[in-house]
Amino acid sequence: MTRKGYLVKQKEMGRHLLGVFPAQYPKEILWAMNIVPAEIWDPPLEMTLANAHLQPTICSVVKLGLELILQGKCDILDGFLFPHTCDSIQNLASVINDYMKAEKPCYFFYHPKAPYDTASRDFYHNHLKELVSSLEKQFGPLDPDTLKQRIHQSQKVSALLTGLYDLRAEGELNITNEEFYRVVRHGEYLFPDDFIPELEVFLSRNKGQGMKGQAPVLLSGVLPNPPEILTLLDDLGVRVAHDDFLIGSRRLLVPANNLDDPFENLTESYFAMPPCSTKGSSIGERAEYLFRLVDATGAKGVIFNVVKFCEPEWFDIPNLKEELKKRGISTLSLDTDLNQGLSGQMVTRVEAFVEMIG
Amino acid sequence: MRFAGIDIGSRTIELVVLKDNEIIEMKQTDSGFDPLAQARDLLGGVKHDHIMATGYGRHLFELSFEAPTVTEIKAYAVGARFLFPEVRTILDIGGQDSKAIAVNDMGRITKFEMNDRCAAGTGKFLEIMAQTLGYNLDQFGIEALKATKEMQISSMCTVFAESEVTSLMAKGEVRQDIALGLHRSVVKRAVGMLKRVSVKGPILFAGGVAQNPCMRHLLEEALDTHILVPENPQMVGALGAALLTSEKT
């Protein structure tokens, strides 16, 4: 079933739909309020209208999100959620809510940026509750027991995804890179009741001897788009051993110990997640995370596949590359436009990188 | 046995044939609108036992000729080392891309950089600017070296630079002075790319643009070092591919 078909069906089943912009938000709260978060990352659209509202140096995640709204493709949604991810998404929230006077309710979620202290935890905890209060006005009261159940499901999703990642890291997943991310990305809109069984079936069907051949690599960045990068790596026989994608391992929930207070539980999980440019994590933390992934997987190089004009990511990359270089780890950075395919020049760069580390 | 390497670039196609590690044949033609047909013509009557393709058209060639391929990066590194074993950095400025490659003392690539996706800083940029100034490509570098002062060209986008050049000509500026500014702008980009791969000497300048004397002069000036330029700089990629196919066999 297509993403659109699935969302229509969810609506028919009586669930609410919220269009959610990247990247960090408490999806468990939405699930508990019978809301399906439909994340908006890279809708496959031709850019025609958004350029009138945004300057050329805004990334295509933000532009395509606005394009989706301007082309009238969000009619089915009951509102939008804007997490405080970067300046561009903050500005997009202003464009949609303040300037375009969106007809649908807009919600905002502010999460603290590193370095963290006790006040950061209080801030996050309070903002979770503020988000709930604002959502309750439209969607009705949140049942704490349902929230606990949804947190449990979220942990189950993360455990299954971690299982997938681990098997892939060990070369024991008999699928292509493209197939891997197709399934991982279903989590951007599937309700956990549907995503969990899909992951379980996928895991059980695809355990087996993985791709052999060229040296394994790590991918880092926001998301694996253009998807041709994955097909190219598949064609070259290169296994992506792990990732540091914002849509990938950076959002894997770490199970928290305290289940009595679901808000405490969510808070603890948020602060335990891997470092991320959108959370203001330090270069040291991010480099350590990459080193850990390299050590665990035997990856021979890191490819930064980053959306053009993504400020949080690109600000970090020179320093991250320098840190990796000190450890003798080769890097390649690709400056990509979403849904624009790979130019011949980019193909050459990837092929040459694979030749270099092979 | 004869080993051939073919470099199918965006502007030209080069062919090199080796026998006993000696170059016995070299040919070049324009890529035209049908590079595969041009490659076929170029190969007409050329005897070879094995062939490897490189350049942007390598995969097209691979499909039709069932030949192995290698990227231009590796082909240039191998070709450069064959000609100058001491080389540690290679700059290739071709028709529509440019690259800087660092190699270690074993000839292994340690880092490389390529230009952005547009034609800025490539041979195509120089070609269009030469046309705008009314020079043929062979004259362009020679005339630029005759400049008595240098015009600053601020636009690196080929389209904007062309309109900037038109404006300067309309102001009565001397063609040679504008030409020198244009060459300088390409050199600045090339030097930036070389610095990103941690430029180390000796440096080899390859690709068609290496035939331009003004580019060679400005590069040496900017890097304050002697630059090695092979006799046929545009053949280095094809030579590398020929060497690699002989290694594989």
Side-chain angles (χ1 to χ4, degrees):
Chain A
M1 187 186 294
T2 63
R3 174 181 159 120
K4 188 179 175 186
Y6 179 81
L7 293 176
V8 168
K9 196 175 163 211
Q10 293 298 302
K11 189 87 173 177
E12 287 167 359
M13 286 167 64
R15 290 199 172 118
H16 311 291
L17 304 179
L18 210 55
V20 181
F21 285 88
Q24 308 281 0
Y25 67 100
K27 60 172 67 171
E28 300 80 1
I29 288 176
L30 304 189
W31 291 341
M33 299 178 84
N34 208 27
I35 301 167
V36 180
E39 297 182 8
I40 301 170
W41 291 89
D42 51 351
L45 299 173
E46 187 79 24
M47 201 90 73
T48 53
L49 305 168
N51 285 331
H53 297 263
L54 299 167
Q55 61 269 40
T57 50
I58 294 294
C59 80
S60 42
V61 170
V62 169
K63 281 191 174 174
L64 284 169
L66 180 58
E67 188 69 36
L68 190 76
I69 296 171
L70 293 171
Q71 288 192 19
K73 294 183 185 292
C74 294
D75 293 350
I76 194 175
L77 300 179
D78 298 298
F80 297 104
L81 173 63
F82 297 91
H84 184 191
T85 300
C86 60
D87 289 349
S88 297
I89 286 183
Q90 284 294 99
N91 293 336
L92 177 68
S94 291
V95 169
I96 293 170
N97 191 51
D98 305 330
Y99 291 94
M100 290 168 43
K101 306 286 182 200
E103 290 170 5
K104 295 177 189 297
C106 292
Y107 299 94
F108 309 96
F109 180 64
Y110 299 93
H111 50 84
K113 308 286 179 183
Y116 302 125
D117 56 21
T118 318
S120 314
R121 288 178 172 271
D122 294 341
F123 180 91
Y124 189 77
H125 191 280
N126 291 339
H127 274 267
L128 288 175
K129 292 199 162 171
E130 278 185 26
L131 178 67
V132 170
S133 302
S134 55
L135 289 170
E136 280 179 329
K137 287 174 193 154
Q138 184 180 359
F139 301 106
L142 168 73
D143 171 30
D145 288 334
T146 311
L147 178 57
K148 283 183 189 176
Q149 186 202 331
R150 294 304 183 193
I151 290 174
H152 182 72
Q153 280 188 308
S154 183
Q155 289 169 347
K156 175 81 177 168
V157 167
S158 281
L160 287 165
L161 285 171
T162 304
L164 264 182
Y165 271 86
D166 289 348
L167 283 173
R168 181 177 68 158
E170 289 155 16
E172 289 176 10
L173 205 52
N174 186 22
I175 53 167
T176 62
N177 297 309
E178 191 271 333
E179 287 166 330
F180 183 88
Y181 285 102
R182 190 167 355 115
V183 167
V184 167
R185 297 201 62 189
H186 283 172
E188 292 166 17
Y189 64 94
L190 288 186
F191 211 64
D193 305 21
D194 300 315
F195 195 35
I196 289 171
E198 177 177 315
L199 285 173
E200 284 171 339
V201 170
F202 189 78
L203 253 171
S204 66
R205 276 191 191 157
N206 295 300
K207 269 186 198 172
Q209 190 64 59
M211 191 190 289
K212 294 286 176 196
Q214 302 281 0
V217 298
L218 292 186
L219 294 182
S220 178
V222 175
L223 72 170
N225 187 313
E228 286 84 354
I229 180 77
L230 299 174
T231 354
L232 174 62
L233 291 172
D234 284 330
D235 291 346
L236 294 171
V238 175
R239 176 169 54 91
V240 177
H242 214 295
D243 72 52
D244 168 45
F245 275 136
L246 185 47
I247 59 98
S249 83
R250 282 190 222 167
R251 293 202 303 174
L252 287 179
L253 195 70
V254 177
N257 297 321
N258 179 7
L259 264 175
D260 290 339
D261 179 350
F263 290 97
E264 271 304 307
N265 198 302
L266 288 173
T267 304
E268 198 176 319
S269 294
Y270 171 80
F271 288 99
M273 278 198 284
C276 179
S277 62
T278 68
K279 291 159 79 178
S281 305
S282 69
I283 295 294
E285 277 181 289
R286 292 202 60 199
E288 275 304 319
Y289 180 63
L290 289 173
F291 294 156
R292 276 208 307 278
L293 296 183
V294 168
D295 291 344
T297 59
K300 301 295 178 202
V302 178
I303 299 178
F304 292 97
N305 181 69
V306 182
V307 183
K308 195 172 189 171
F309 302 127
C310 175
E311 289 184 355
E313 287 293 299
W314 282 110
F315 286 157
D316 281 1
I317 284 176
N319 300 66
L320 285 176
K321 287 176 83 168
E322 198 54 41
E323 292 300 315
L324 289 161
K325 187 181 164 190
K326 284 181 200 161
R327 289 264 188 123
I329 303 163
S330 299
T331 60
L332 172 72
S333 37
L334 300 174
D335 192 4
T336 59
D337 276 317
L338 297 178
N339 306 329
Q340 296 291 307
L342 283 182
S343 64
Q345 199 240 37
M346 279 203 194
V347 170
T348 296
R349 285 164 66 190
V350 174
E351 287 184 13
F353 184 72
V354 171
E355 285 172 352
M356 188 174 83
I357 61 173
Chain B
M1 287 230 263
R2 291 167 181 244
F3 300 98
I6 187 162
D7 182 355
I8 305 177
S10 58
R11 306 287 298 135
T12 55
I13 302 173
E14 289 82 25
L15 177 70
V16 169
V17 183
L18 295 174
K19 188 179 177 191
D20 300 327
N21 249 16
E22 295 284 335
I23 296 172
I24 58 165
E25 194 160 359
M26 282 194 297
K27 289 170 85 176
Q28 185 182 33
T29 188
D30 287 340
S31 301
F33 61 89
D34 186 352
L36 198 57
Q38 293 291 92
R40 211 171 262 126
D41 281 353
L42 195 69
L43 282 167
V46 175
K47 283 173 63 182
H48 62 272
D49 300 292
H50 298 278
I51 188 165
M52 184 179 279
T54 187
Y56 99 105
R58 64 189 180 281
H59 292 306
L60 194 65
F61 190 87
E62 178 184 22
L63 289 174
S64 296
F65 289 81
E66 292 182 6
T69 63
V70 65
T71 63
E72 305 90 289
I73 314 278
K74 188 164 182 179
Y76 268 87
V78 170
R81 185 173 164 82
F82 177 80
L83 296 170
F84 297 96
E86 70 278 22
V87 76
R88 292 292 172 272
T89 305
I90 300 131
L91 172 67
D92 161 44
I93 305 185
Q96 281 184 16
D97 70 23
S98 52
K99 47 193 96 68
I101 307 160
V103 294
N104 63 16
D105 53 3
M106 305 293 290
R108 194 176 165 86
I109 298 167
T110 54
K111 198 171 179 192
F112 65 88
E113 286 281 338
M114 287 181 85
N115 65 313
D116 297 332
R117 278 165 285 184
C118 69
T122 68
K124 188 71 186 171
F125 176 84
L126 289 172
E127 189 182 324
I128 290 172
M129 295 307 130
Q131 280 169 9
T132 308
L133 288 171
Y135 292 124
N136 68 44
L137 205 49
D138 296 338
Q139 279 179 302
F140 195 33
I142 297 165
E143 290 299 316
L145 284 172
K146 293 177 186 167
T148 53
K149 66 173 180 176
E150 185 174 329
M151 300 307 304
Q152 180 87 25
I153 306 293
S154 52
S155 304
M156 269 316 298
C157 164
T158 310
V159 177
F160 289 135
E162 193 175 10
S163 93
E164 199 175 337
V165 166
T166 308
S167 301
L168 289 169
M169 286 193 295
K171 283 183 191 168
E173 297 293 349
V174 177
R175 282 197 302 169
Q176 283 98 338
D177 299 346
I178 302 171
L180 183 60
L182 286 163
H183 280 77
R184 180 85 65 193
S185 69
V186 176
V187 166
K188 277 183 189 168
R189 277 183 95 88
V191 169
M193 213 166 47
L194 285 166
K195 285 184 176 166
R196 289 200 295 278
V197 300
S198 309
V199 60
K200 283 180 189 155
I203 303 163
L204 179 129
F205 186 16
V209 175
Q211 292 168 310
N212 180 315
C214 185
M215 285 295 298
R216 294 198 298 265
H217 169 75
L218 294 180
L219 260 178
E220 290 190 334
E221 192 179 272
L223 296 169
D224 194 24
T225 187
H226 174 64
I227 305 276
L228 300 167
V229 180
E231 195 178 339
N232 295 289
Q234 73 281 18
M235 294 290 175
V236 176
L239 171 63
L243 288 162
L244 282 163
T245 193
S246 73
E247 272 176 26
K248 277 197 168 181
T249 307

